[in-house]
Amino acid sequence: MALIHSTALIDPAAELDSSVEVGAYTLIGPGVRIAAGTVIGPHCVVEGRTTIGENNRFFQFGSIGAAPQDMKYRGEPTELVIGRDNTFREFVTLNTGTVQDGGVTRIGDDNWVMAYVHVAHDVQLGSHCVLANNATLAGHVHVGDWATIGGLTGVHQFVKIGAHAMIGFQGHVAQDVPPFMTVDGNPLSARAVNVTGLKRRGFTPERIGVIRQMHKLLYRSGLTLDEAKAAIEGLRGSENGVADGDVDAMLGFLSAATRGIVR
């Protein structure tokens, strides 16, 4: 039987694994499914069509699966899907999707989401990301794996943030942020490659060297975006092809960018 505090209110239609823990005064609605090992802290509300994977930890006062803050929303049955091994600190708000997009807000695995973070409707958050206190992701934002978003950062709707990118403190992100880059300042500007993060994740010096060349071509060579993309394509095969996957990731991101990239 799930470990449910006597003051928690769990709808009989909710599906909780027997190992799930639910804290005092938490409310869980009928469309919720929670897998093994997950802990829901006290004073949380988990509602909507929300699916939560294994071994997640929700601290107190979270709002999970509430209706999207979108004036077009008319009560359609949209979803929030959360992977496994995530940590959500106090006062986090995670909304369901909208039918104007795919209908699903999706959060991957092993993310560290700090206090007061807001994840809006239709956000696609990858895995192994860090969102610091008060970071706000507007609707339809896509965030790649291993991205770091600094505290008090606001991300405009429909923005894409590439894998391994890092957003500095209090960033105002209104354009797409290419993978591997560190951006900060007001106005926001690309500063360098996120070398510290890449080293922590086991990138070799050769791979980092090619990524540095991509940064230089995008931001330091005076090239247009199309010229930079062609030059980045020319990096394939360098260092015995060790970074060809990184080149593919960069070119794929640039081809899909819809809001222009942070300069």
Side-chain angles (χ1 to χ4, degrees), residues 54-85:
E54 296 178 353
N55 301 319
N56 293 285
R57 174 75 188 275
F58 294 84
F59 281 69
Q60 54 268 29
F61 304 109
S63 175
I64 314 303
Q69 298 178 59
D70 187 321
M71 295 178 68
K72 299 186 296 299
Y73 183 66
R74 295 293 181 269
E76 298 91 349
T78 56
E79 298 181 67
L80 168 66
V81 177
I82 298 171
R84 60 181 299 155
D85 299 310

Side-chain angles (χ1 to χ4, degrees), residues 119-134:
V119 177
H121 57 88
D122 304 293
V123 165
Q124 307 295 303
L125 178 65
S127 297
H128 315 293
C129 297
V130 175
L131 278 63
N133 298 292
N134 290 99

